[in-house]
């Protein structure tokens, strides 16, 4: 249940002509895992399209607690608000895996949106859907138990990023730390650790350093249906 993205990411919803024009105006860069692409509090004037790989969106609270706002992968646009209005960045964007990205400078991206109302409408839809998804996410955090939220998150990650392994099970192919996972479901690392310990004992999951193998998707589905 990570805060989400439209069913058709921004880049893939555009026409071929739109994409060609953006490629021409943008700059393609490669980023190693854990590289910061956008830093919270900075003033930078570009939007960023994830062409390949996965990025993590995070923000730091008053007491230093890191909140993971979501994961974004191929085709998705990030940093569009501050990149266009010149405000300070409200979150940090960092590469979770190896990432290929397209930087779109505001002084060229803004006129592009004015010239192409259809592309501007796609951007508006992207922002609106993220806001609605964030509202659903906050509502779930207040009404669902932590194990239920965590099971739903793992099922989402398995569907989007999972790899089938020999002998059964699904490997989540993302280097997420316990802090990352706890942030995604708005709980503490200690609470998450207790859940992981119980699920390991029950044979539902196997964990390693930033790896997780899901042995029983059926058990996770049962928990996610609020029957832990």
């Amino acid at each position: 249940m990570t805060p989400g993205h439209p069913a058709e990411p921004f880049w893939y919803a555009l026409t071929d002509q739109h994409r060609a024009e953006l490629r021409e105006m943008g700059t393609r860069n490669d980023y190693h895992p854990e590289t910061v692409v956008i830093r919270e509090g900075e003033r930078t004037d570009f939007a960023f399209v994830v062409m390949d790989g996965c990025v993590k969106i995070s923000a730091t609270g008053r007491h230093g607690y890191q909140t993971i706002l979501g994961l974004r992968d191929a085709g998705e646009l990030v940093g569009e608000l501050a990149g266009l209005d010149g405000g300070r960045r409200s979150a940090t964007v960092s590469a979770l895996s190896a990432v290929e990205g397209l930087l779109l400078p505001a002084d060229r991206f803004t006129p592009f949106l004015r010239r192409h109302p259809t592309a501007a409408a796609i951007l508006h839809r992207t922002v609106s859907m993220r806001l609605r998804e964030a509202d659903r996410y906050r509502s779930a955090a207040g009404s669902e138990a932590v194990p239920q939220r965590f099971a739903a998150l793992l099922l989402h990650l398995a569907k989007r990023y999972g790899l089938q392994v020999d002998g059964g099970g699904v490997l989540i192919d993302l280097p997420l730390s316990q802090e990352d996972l706890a942030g995604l479901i708005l709980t503490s690392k200690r609470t998450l650790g207790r859940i992981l310990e119980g699920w390991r004992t029950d044979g539902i999951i196997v964990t390693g350093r930033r790896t997780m193998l899901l042995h029983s998707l059926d058990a996770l589905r049962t928990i996610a249906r609020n029957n832990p």
Side-chain angles (χ1 to χ4, degrees):
M1 199 163 18
T2 177
H5 35 72
E8 188 175 28
F10 173 80
W11 185 254
Y12 301 126
L14 298 171
T15 66
D16 290 342
Q17 177 187 345
H18 292 154
R19 288 192 289 267
E21 194 169 336
L22 290 175
R23 286 192 189 97
E24 178 67 23
M25 76 173 65
T27 301
R28 296 186 77 135
N29 287 324
D30 294 323
Y31 302 88
H32 296 295
E34 301 185 6
T35 301
V36 173
V37 180
I38 294 170
R39 194 176 299 278
E40 184 179 1
E42 285 184 341
R43 289 188 182 274
T44 48
D45 59 351
F46 63 86
F48 181 83
V49 179
V50 182
M51 305 301 289
D52 191 30
C54 179
V55 299
K56 176 176 69 175
I57 317 296
S58 62
T60 303
R62 286 182 300 174
H63 302 293
Y65 178 75
Q66 185 184 66
T67 299
I68 307 300
L69 304 176
L71 307 176
R72 303 283 184 258
D73 54 11
E76 301 197 68
L77 181 71
V78 298
E80 67 281 355
L81 297 181
L84 293 177
D85 66 17
R88 292 190 182 276
R89 298 292 185 175
S90 60
T92 293
V93 178
S94 53
L96 192 58
S97 64
V99 167
E100 180 184 344
L102 181 67
L103 271 66
L104 302 173
D107 61 354
R108 301 191 68 185
F109 188 40
T110 301
F112 165 85
L113 294 172
R114 293 197 189 104
R115 290 195 306 273
H116 300 290
T118 302
I122 293 168
L123 174 59
H124 178 74
R125 184 198 68 185
T126 299
V127 173
S128 296
M129 293 186 74
R130 285 180 182 163
L131 290 173
R132 287 196 295 271
E133 183 67 24
D135 287 342
R136 289 194 294 269
Y137 179 65
R138 286 190 292 268
S139 176
S143 61
E144 297 176 356
V146 176
Q148 184 183 7
R149 299 202 305 271
F150 188 36
L153 171 67
L154 292 183
L155 290 169
H156 168 81
L157 294 176
K159 181 177 181 180
R160 195 161 182 82
Y161 306 104
L163 298 174
Q164 295 288 335
V165 299
D166 294 340
V170 176
L171 178 68
I172 296 177
D173 189 31
L174 283 177
L176 291 164
S177 67
Q178 283 198 28
E179 289 88 352
D180 292 336
L181 293 169
L184 282 166
I185 58 171
L186 300 179
T187 192
S188 68
K189 183 180 175 182
R190 178 178 299 180
T191 298
L192 182 72
R194 289 197 296 266
I195 296 170
L196 288 171
E197 182 179 359
W199 290 0
R200 283 192 296 261
T201 300
D202 293 339
I204 298 174
I205 62 172
V206 175
T207 59
R209 187 177 183 276
R210 296 201 174 196
T211 64
M212 186 172 299
L213 177 64
L214 310 183
H215 267 314
S216 178
L217 296 182
D218 287 341
L220 291 172
R221 292 187 187 103
T222 299
I223 296 168
R225 288 195 296 265
N226 199 23
N227 187 19

